[in-house]
């Protein structure tokens, strides 16, 4: 069952790939997504801030 769920969750129609530009800001909810940092050129540094908020369960 886990294999089926993983295969379903990684279908192309569910994938978003961000094309980074200067001054971009991206937010995501770790409770609802699978996150993979990819596509950032090695010579560029990313500045990351992690914020955790309390609230309702994701929908």
């Amino acid at each position: 069952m886990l294999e089926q769920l993983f295969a379903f969750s990684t279908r192309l129609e569910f994938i978003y790939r961000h094309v980074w530009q200067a001054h971009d800001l991206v937010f995501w909810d770790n409770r609802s997504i699978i996150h993979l940092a990819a596509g950032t050129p090695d010579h560029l540094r990313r500045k990351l801030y992690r914020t955790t908020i309390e609230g309702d369960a994701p929908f």
Side-chain angles (χ1 to χ4, degrees), residues 31-43:
R31 301 172 302 171
S32 306
I33 67 166
I34 300 170
H35 170 254
L36 173 63
T40 304
D42 291 337
H43 69 282

Side-chain angles (χ1 to χ4, degrees), residues 21-40:
Q21 298 179 39
H23 309 291
D24 275 359
L25 179 66
V26 177
F27 285 86
W28 62 88
D29 185 344
N30 280 332
R31 301 172 302 171
S32 306
I33 67 166
I34 300 170
H35 170 254
L36 173 63
T40 304

Side-chain angles (χ1 to χ4, degrees), residues 2 4 6-9 12 18 22 25-26 29-32 38 42-45 47 49:
L2 286 177
Q4 290 176 335
F6 184 73
F8 181 81
S9 69
L12 289 179
H18 188 76
L25 179 66
V26 177
D29 185 344
N30 280 332
R31 301 172 302 171
S32 306
D42 291 337
H43 69 282
L44 298 176
R45 293 181 56 106
K47 188 176 218 177
Y49 294 97

